[in-house]
Amino acid sequence: MTLVAPFSPSVGAPRTLGDIYGPGVAVCARPPLADNAPAGRHRVTRDVVSARPVGVAGDTPLICSAGGTEPALLAQLREGGLPVGTELRTFRTETEFGLRVAEAMADGLLISMEYPQPNSLLPDTHAVKTAELVGFLNNKASISTFVDPDFRARRRVVSRADLAEATPVAGSWVLKAATDDAHRGNLDVYLHRAGEPVSWPDFTRVLPAFVVEEYLDLVRNWGIQFFVEPGATARLLAVTEQRVDSAGIYDGGLFGLVSPPPPALLAECQAITQRAADLGYRGMCSLDCAETRDGRLVLLDLNFRITGGSIPLLALQTVRPDALERPAESVSLAVTAPLADLLTALRPALAAGGLIVVAGHDTARTDHSVRQSTLQLVVYGDDPDEVTLRRRALTARFGS
């Protein structure tokens, strides 16, 4: 198999949020609170997502959870050479989140909400891209609007009344939430293998419509990373591969040498991103696509927002662009100990090299009652098997 670097680092390659969004913009990557949901529902996930860009924010104002600004974490990010945000507008509570948004608008900043927030919180006049557009682009029922028929997986939208008939126990299928809420920070994909018991996910109890998609046997699974600059041009950031767990759920990325997608698939992804740009989208995105065992090329998901793959790419381009010419993998760790203790335990591995901390969060700095610390890291080296072994060793030791 031929492997290629995801892109050739250059002087013009983006390194910080400012390189992506331009001046006069504040970024907020926090998923919204679902209608009528308790404030604590998926709270940790939502806060962690908001804090992921801290290490690459540079001089771009970032509205983020205070859990991402734990002092030991910021010190480690700076020590690693990352352009840590110089204007971190933090919140500890739901009320403070709304205040930070209001303050940014009062300061005359346009806000790039990576997930659609209520218009009562962020009017379209203060947004880089409207909530309606972001919701539409990320709605799993909208994908056929953008994808050429040659690259579409077989899927259909069904109502709740028709859901049971469309999802037989004897068949294999993938169920996705059809919603403009753009995932709301919780898992909204369910994979079913023929013959296994069906355990309906939470979203089937609250949404009126769903996408039922064919269950595909994949041999390659890419995340094609793009960004749309302020001038409305879609530009390729990187070609990465996706690591999935035994259930087929995203479990991290491969950021170094990857198997290249066919040119036709890459061209389709470029065209899709440009279509979104023409509608007014600005910022980062990742298009999930794959090659099946029978040779089909399919687009599986359109993720028009900062994703789990975006931040490692910017971080590597900033501090270790040479790692993008070698094998590299991301890994997320989660523990119930303080974040400073987790970083102390990782000190020997960090000193040994081949490991970069790119993001983190500690709930102790918020009003959340659950104690949880998380870290996102990138493991890199010269040998892909050795990189995988070190990544697995981290997961085995610290969990994820």
Side-chain angles (χ1 to χ4, degrees):
M1 180 197 313
T2 301
L3 297 179
V4 299
F7 68 101
S8 298
S10 66
V11 174
R15 293 172 168 81
T16 70
L17 296 186
D19 297 331
I20 302 289
Y21 298 89
V25 172
V27 172
C28 181
R30 195 188 201 209
L33 180 67
D35 293 341
N36 303 318
R41 188 173 178 81
H42 309 297
R43 170 70 185 280
V44 174
T45 299
R46 294 164 60 232
D47 283 354
V48 168
V49 170
S50 80
R52 281 194 304 210
V54 165
V56 296
D59 59 3
T60 295
L62 180 69
I63 300 171
C64 63
S65 169
T69 61
E70 199 279 338
L73 171 65
L74 294 184
Q76 177 58 53
L77 295 174
R78 294 189 180 104
E79 182 181 326
L82 289 175
V84 176
T86 58
E87 193 175 335
L88 302 175
R89 302 187 173 206
T90 62
F91 57 85
R92 295 181 62 256
T93 68
E94 292 292 335
T95 298
E96 287 183 2
F97 172 62
L99 291 175
R100 297 295 89 80
V101 175
E103 289 166 359
M105 290 189 292
D107 289 341
L109 295 167
L110 288 176
I111 302 179
S112 178
M113 281 291 184
E114 301 300 290
Y115 295 81
Q117 297 285 350
N119 196 256
S120 57
L121 176 70
L122 179 66
D124 290 345
T125 52
H126 294 274
V128 172
K129 54 234 178 183
T130 68
E132 181 180 12
L133 176 62
V134 174
F136 175 68
L137 291 172
N138 287 284
N139 191 326
K140 296 179 186 301
S142 303
I143 186 169
S144 295
T145 306
F146 293 91
V147 179
D148 186 277
D150 289 344
F151 297 95
R152 292 178 193 167
R154 288 185 286 272
R155 55 173 67 91
R156 60 186 176 123
V157 180
V158 301
S159 66
R160 181 184 286 128
D162 297 327
L163 182 59
E165 182 181 353
T167 54
V169 174
S172 294
W173 36 266
V174 180
L175 184 66
K176 299 180 177 181
T179 172
D180 279 359
D181 285 346
H183 316 301
R184 300 181 295 182
N186 56 304
L187 186 65
D188 61 355
V189 177
Y190 175 74
L191 295 90
H192 174 75
R193 292 187 177 94
E196 294 182 352
V198 176
S199 179
W200 296 112
D202 287 346
F203 66 77
T204 60
R205 291 187 280 274
V206 296
L207 296 177
F210 313 92
V211 175
V212 179
E213 188 174 281
E214 62 180 318
Y215 196 116
L216 296 168
D217 185 7
L218 307 181
V219 294
R220 296 284 179 271
N221 192 358
W222 295 281
I224 313 296
Q225 311 275 342
F226 285 88
F227 67 99
V228 179
E229 61 184 8
T233 299
R235 299 193 183 280
L236 178 66
L237 176 61
V239 176
T240 64
E241 288 190 87
Q242 301 193 84
R243 194 174 66 244
V244 297
D245 62 18
S246 58
I249 303 300
Y250 178 79
D251 190 40
L254 281 68
F255 296 90
L257 300 181
V258 300
S259 57
L265 183 60
L266 196 58
E268 173 63 10
C269 291
Q270 175 89 40
I272 289 169
T273 308
Q274 189 58 55
R275 290 179 200 128
D278 294 342
L279 290 175
Y281 184 79
R282 303 292 181 269
M284 308 182 80
C285 65
S286 176
L287 280 59
D288 296 347
C289 47
E291 179 184 2
T292 67
R293 196 164 298 279
D294 59 1
R296 293 169 57 199
L297 299 174
V298 293
L299 268 292
L300 300 175
D301 279 306
L302 309 180
N303 303 301
F304 280 90
R305 61 184 184 277
I306 293 174
T307 68
S310 309
I311 304 308
L313 284 170
L314 294 181
L316 285 170
Q317 173 59 20
T318 299
V319 301
R320 289 306 300 262
D322 59 305
L324 290 168
E325 303 287 347
R326 298 185 282 164
E329 297 188 32
S330 67
V331 61
S332 295
L333 308 177
V335 299
T336 55
L339 184 56
D341 292 353
L342 176 56
L343 287 167
T344 297
L346 282 170
R347 274 290 173 187
L350 290 166
L355 185 64
I356 303 173
V357 175
V358 298
H361 187 271
D362 190 337
T363 57
R365 292 179 61 80
T366 75
D367 68 342
H368 200 283
S369 59
V370 174
R371 161 63 88 178
Q372 181 172 301
S373 297
T374 62
L375 275 182
Q376 186 179 20
L377 308 102
V378 175
V379 185
Y380 65 91
D382 295 316
D383 180 83
D385 293 333
E386 186 269 343
V387 167
T388 297
L389 285 174
R390 284 195 288 126
R391 187 260 303 167
R392 287 176 176 169
L394 288 170
T395 301
R397 180 180 177 190
F398 298 103
S400 61

